[in-house]
Amino acid sequence: KNISFSIKAGDFVMITGRNGSGKSTFMHQVAMLDQPTSGSILLDLTNLTGEITDITKLPEKKRIELRLKEIGYIFQEYALIRELTALENVMLPRLMFRDPKEAKIKALLELKKVGLGKKINRLPSQLSGGEQQRVAIARALVNNPRIIFADEPTANLDTVASKNVLDIFQKINQQGITIVMISHEPDELKYAKRQIVFSDGKLIENKELRHV
């Protein structure tokens, strides 16, 4: 409802609010998983196309291409394919436009970055919840996206696994990747640079976070 704000490149934004406040709906719009009924969503693609693009007006084929190459999405429930190994799950998005050999090399690299280099041949059922989420992070990073959207990525994890995931997010944000994350945990705000609060479909707070 009348939401208007911008997210800068390299930002780490934490979106908070009660259940049903509109957080996931917002995330689905900006990540091009759904279409808004009205309004515009502008994505700065000046280094690719020389223009700022209203993604709500793009044909679905172009939206799919942008999701694949420019955006990484991490789900609360991991969304791994249970019949595929960790390596195969991470390779999959890369295989859409790269050959299998190159996709495997890149997937191995991303799995090593999240500390799963020795578990590449495990099925999701053979991994802990934290390990499955790290596979999902590696998959989201495999195509070198500029933006990572994460919808409550720590909700099903214990304290240690949650910290591991957030430490990875902080590290990749320091490398210049923009992160937009939904969270219900106040303690997780210390990782973010900015907090946006939703309530009943409205944006009620948008503030920079200053950490001591």
Side-chain angles (χ1 to χ4, degrees):
K1 301 175 184 176
N2 300 317
I3 291 171
S4 180
F5 66 96
S6 60
I7 295 172
K8 296 180 180 179
D11 214 344
F12 189 154
V13 179
M14 198 77 78
I15 298 176
T16 62
R18 292 183 178 181
N19 288 334
S21 61
K23 302 184 303 298
S24 291
T25 300
F26 159 77
M27 191 79 92
H28 288 172
Q29 311 298 325
V30 294
M32 293 181 280
L33 299 178
D34 203 351
Q35 279 274 34
T37 52
S38 62
S40 299
I41 301 171
L42 305 178
L43 183 62
D44 186 350
L45 297 172
T46 49
N47 68 326
L48 296 177
T49 63
E51 60 186 12
I52 294 176
T53 303
D54 184 352
I55 60 175
T56 66
K57 297 179 179 178
L58 293 176
E60 185 59 22
K61 184 177 179 180
K62 183 62 177 178
R63 285 164 60 87
I64 291 171
E65 182 182 344
L66 283 177
R67 283 200 303 265
L68 187 63
K69 294 183 178 180
E70 299 296 320
I71 289 172
Y73 201 98
I74 300 167
F75 299 87
Q76 178 181 332
E77 300 291 343
Y78 324 132
L80 301 178
I81 299 174
R82 63 184 181 180
E83 295 86 2
L84 301 183
T85 65
L87 177 60
E88 290 166 340
N89 267 285
V90 177
M91 285 176 62
L92 194 58
R94 194 77 177 173
L95 287 169
M96 301 296 181
F97 60 96
R98 298 288 187 180
D99 65 78
K101 183 178 179 180
E102 195 277 350
K104 183 177 181 179
I105 292 171
K106 187 65 164 65
L108 284 169
L109 177 64
E110 297 301 338
L111 283 165
K112 287 177 181 177
K113 285 182 182 178
V114 298
L116 292 175
K118 295 182 179 180
K119 297 189 177 182
I120 61 172
N121 294 316
R122 300 278 182 92
L123 294 170
S125 60
Q126 297 170 318
L127 299 170
S128 68
E131 288 169 340
Q132 289 185 65
Q133 194 61 293
R134 281 188 279 157
V135 173
I137 293 170
R139 180 183 59 189
L141 292 171
V142 77
N143 283 336
N144 301 318
R146 292 193 288 173
I147 309 170
I148 292 288
F149 293 105
D151 191 350
E152 295 191 60
T154 62
N156 296 326
L157 305 180
D158 61 30
T159 303
V160 174
S162 294
K163 184 179 184 304
N164 287 338
V165 166
L166 288 163
D167 285 344
I168 293 170
F169 282 176
Q170 191 170 57
K171 186 175 181 179
I172 62 178
N173 178 244
Q174 290 168 351
Q175 296 168 355
I177 296 175
T178 306
I179 296 179
V180 183
M181 173 180 160
I182 293 174
S183 175
H184 279 293
E185 301 297 329
D187 289 349
E188 295 182 348
L189 287 170
K190 64 185 178 184
Y191 289 89
K193 298 175 182 176
R194 192 147 59 97
Q195 179 185 14
I196 289 172
V197 184
F198 280 80
S199 179
D200 297 325
K202 296 179 181 179
L203 189 154
I204 62 170
E205 195 168 9
N206 180 2
K207 63 181 180 181
E208 184 178 346
L209 297 173
R210 299 186 181 275
H211 305 296
V212 179

